[in-house]
Amino acid sequence: MRLHKDLGVPVDPKMEAKFGKVFKLAMRKLTDYQHSDGGWGWWKEDNSNMYLTSLVLEGFNHLGKAGYSVDKEQVSKGLAWLVK
């Protein structure tokens, strides 16, 4: 989606709708899987993992640049866990 926007190439409305559905489902899952310490792991109930937390935060960054809304509190908690 970001590439389309950066290049000014129109996005097929069906593709945009599909991405919107996938985006909502993924954000719900990422919210549910964020651990109480702020990080993410392979599973909902495992230990937070530096690699996975970094990957999720990078994805949030890309989504934000593509114009999608990302929960700033989730990002802050994830960053705080990485710093710790």
Side-chain angles (χ1 to χ4, degrees), residues 11-44:
V11 178
D12 177 22
K14 289 180 185 177
M15 174 95 104
E16 194 165 14
K18 184 177 181 179
F19 186 84
K21 285 175 101 177
V22 170
F23 170 76
K24 287 178 185 177
L25 289 171
M27 292 306 288
R28 268 191 239 129
K29 188 171 185 177
L30 287 170
T31 297
D32 192 39
Y33 271 55
Q34 188 172 25
H35 298 158
S36 61
D37 64 8
W40 283 267
W42 288 106
W43 309 108
K44 189 175 180 178

Side-chain angles (χ1 to χ4, degrees), residues 49-76:
N49 178 283
M50 190 181 324
Y51 172 76
L52 289 173
T53 299
S54 298
L55 193 61
V56 170
L57 293 174
E58 180 183 20
F60 285 170
N61 184 47
H62 286 295
L63 285 166
K65 287 182 179 180
Y68 290 88
S69 177
V70 176
D71 186 327
K72 292 180 192 311
E73 186 176 340
Q74 276 188 295
V75 172
S76 294

